[in-house]
Structures are given as C-alpha cells and as structure tokens.
C-alpha cells in the first residue's frame, strides 16, 4: 500500500474580530483585528501554550503551588517572545487607529500584565523560599508566607487576562475550545444499569489472553 502524503491545514478563520483584553489594575484595551495567515498560525501556537500551562488553571485557595504558577508564567513569557521572533514583522504590521494585531496583543500581555507581576513577586518569593528550614515541606512552608494571599490575588487577575487572550486566539485560529474540556466520566462496572453487558461470572481461574502482533506479543486483557 502506497504512502499517502498528509496535507497541511491552511490557516483559516474570521476575516476580522473585535479583540478585548482587561489589564489588571489598569483598564482595558480593545480594537479591530484583521489577522493575516502568519497571525493565525502564531495565534494557534500561543493558544496551545496557554491551554497546556498552569497559567490558565484556576488556583484554589487551599490548592496549588505558587512557585509552580509563577514558573509557568515565566516560561510563558519567554515562549511568547520566541513566537514573536519566529514570525517576525508579519505579526506586527502597521495599523490604522482602533486596530490591533497579534504583536500588539502579545507584547501588551508581556509588558503590562506578566512583567510587573514577575518583577515584583519572583524575587520576594525566592527570598522567602531561601528561609525554608531543611526537611520542611515546601508547600507547607509556602502557605505560611504572610504574602501568599496577595500573590494568589495577583495570579488570579493575570489568569483572567490570559483566559480572555486565549479566547481571542481560539477565535482567530479557528480551533475548538481546549480550555473548558468536558470532564471524563467514571467507567461503569460490567453489569451496572445502562452498560448493556451482563455481570462477569464469579469464581473460576483467570487466564491471560494474548494476541500475536508482528514478532512480539501484547497483553490485551484477562478473562475468567
């Protein structure tokens, strides 16, 4: 059977959208975005970075690790700069008043949202972490920090901006929602209502069923 070459999906999506970003403690920027193909591709890459990081996950008061959240924001900062460099001027064209681009949105998030939080809180948290006694659990030590609640509020505000950015990028890249994914359902036991399968017999020895695959064998299940 011949090998079929897989075709790459060309960037597609709306010809224009209204983009809005809320900047914590500052205000809101908005404008018309008419994305070029390079911007759509860059939007997908940045969207993927956002939805696979702790930065867009809600940090509950009694859960999460502030160091992990800050490290995720720091890594996202560097990754965003790499994407801007890779795509170059095509994602930051000259704009008419009232318009925005991928470059405008990305750099605004870097300089107005992430940089202030990282510049203020990264050294403060690092200084506190250096005081942790040997053998002390780092999570327990972190939660005793007097500034932990303040940092959590800052991270929550940043998260709101990043989620709104992710929604805008999702629309421009013309892809499905990868943020609010459905929760997996717990598997039903055989014989429970609605499965359509009778309960397994009780007792009897278990035998291993194997299937030949090429030169090796693969375990595929157990049977009574």
């Amino acid at each position: 059977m011949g090998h079929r070459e897989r075709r790459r999906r060309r960037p597609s999506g709306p010809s224009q959208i209204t983009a809005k970003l809320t900047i914590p403690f500052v205000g809101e920027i908005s404008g018309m975005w008419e994305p070029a193909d390079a911007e759509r591709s860059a939007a997908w890459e940045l969207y993927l970075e956002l939805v696979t990081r702790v930065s867009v996950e809600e940090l509950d008061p009694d859960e999460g690790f502030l160091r992990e959240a800050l490290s995720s924001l720091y890594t996202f900062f560097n990754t965003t700069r790499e994407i801007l460099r890779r795509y170059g001027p095509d994602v930051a064209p000259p704009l008419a008043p009232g318009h925005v681009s991928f470059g405008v949105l990305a750099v605004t998030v870097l300089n107005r949202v992430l940089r202030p939080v990282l510049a203020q809180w990264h050294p403060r948290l690092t200084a506190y972490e250096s005081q942790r006694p040997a053998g002390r659990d780092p999570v327990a030590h972190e939660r005793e920090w007097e500034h932990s609640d303040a940092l959590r509020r800052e991270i929550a505000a940043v998260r709101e901006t990043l989620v709104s950015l992710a929604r805008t990028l999702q629309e421009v890249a013309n892809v499905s929602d990868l943020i609010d994914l459905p929760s997996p359902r717990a598997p039903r036991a055989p014989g429970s209502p609605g499965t359509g399968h009778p309960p397994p017999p009780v007792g009897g020895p278990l035998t291993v069923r194997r299937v030949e695959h090429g030169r090796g064998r693969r375990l595929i299940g157990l049977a009574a």
Side-chain angles (χ1 to χ4, degrees):
M1 181 174 60
H3 176 71
R4 182 188 301 174
E5 183 179 357
R6 185 176 183 180
R7 296 182 180 179
R8 293 186 60 184
R9 177 176 179 265
R10 289 182 57 82
S12 62
S15 59
Q16 65 178 26
I17 68 167
T18 300
K20 292 183 179 181
L21 281 181
T22 300
I23 310 301
F25 316 112
V26 175
E28 181 184 89
I29 66 167
S30 63
M32 188 66 66
W33 186 4
E34 298 175 344
D37 283 350
E39 292 179 279
R40 299 183 197 281
S41 297
W44 161 247
E45 289 193 27
L46 195 59
Y47 177 65
L48 185 61
E49 287 295 321
L50 281 166
V51 300
T52 55
R53 292 195 178 278
V54 178
S55 48
V56 295
E57 293 292 333
E58 188 173 359
L59 201 63
D60 294 331
D62 298 326
E63 298 178 356
F65 193 28
L66 294 176
R67 168 52 64 194
E68 183 182 12
L70 274 187
S71 297
S72 180
L73 294 179
Y74 183 81
T75 302
F76 178 72
F77 189 101
N78 290 330
T79 301
T80 302
R81 291 198 302 184
E82 291 173 2
I83 293 174
L84 287 166
R85 289 195 189 100
R86 184 161 63 252
Y87 284 94
D90 288 343
V91 298
L95 299 170
H99 286 65
V100 297
S101 64
F102 177 89
V104 167
L105 296 177
V107 173
T108 298
V109 168
L110 293 185
N111 290 340
R112 299 287 183 88
V113 180
L114 296 182
R115 189 185 298 278
V117 171
L118 293 173
Q120 178 185 4
W121 289 102
H122 177 70
R124 296 178 69 179
L125 180 57
T126 300
Y128 176 72
E129 289 170 333
S130 67
Q131 302 171 10
R132 180 170 63 89
R136 174 66 168 160
D137 178 67
V139 175
H141 180 70
E142 182 184 273
R143 290 179 180 174
E144 292 178 354
W145 189 31
E146 59 180 331
H147 301 296
S148 61
D149 289 342
L151 177 52
R152 282 180 180 272
R153 288 192 295 269
E154 294 262 9
I155 291 175
V158 169
R159 177 185 174 275
E160 290 183 10
T161 299
L162 295 183
V163 170
S164 68
L165 174 63
R167 294 299 184 195
T168 299
L169 298 175
Q170 174 193 342
E171 185 177 357
V172 167
N174 192 29
V175 294
S176 60
D177 182 1
L178 301 179
I179 301 175
D180 295 327
L181 296 174
S183 300
R185 295 181 179 179
R188 294 181 177 180
S192 61
T195 60
H197 298 287
V202 179
L206 292 178
T207 58
V208 179
R209 292 186 289 120
R210 297 181 182 271
V211 62
E212 297 291 342
H213 183 73
R215 297 180 178 179
R217 294 181 175 180
R218 183 164 58 94
L219 176 67
I220 63 172
L222 299 172

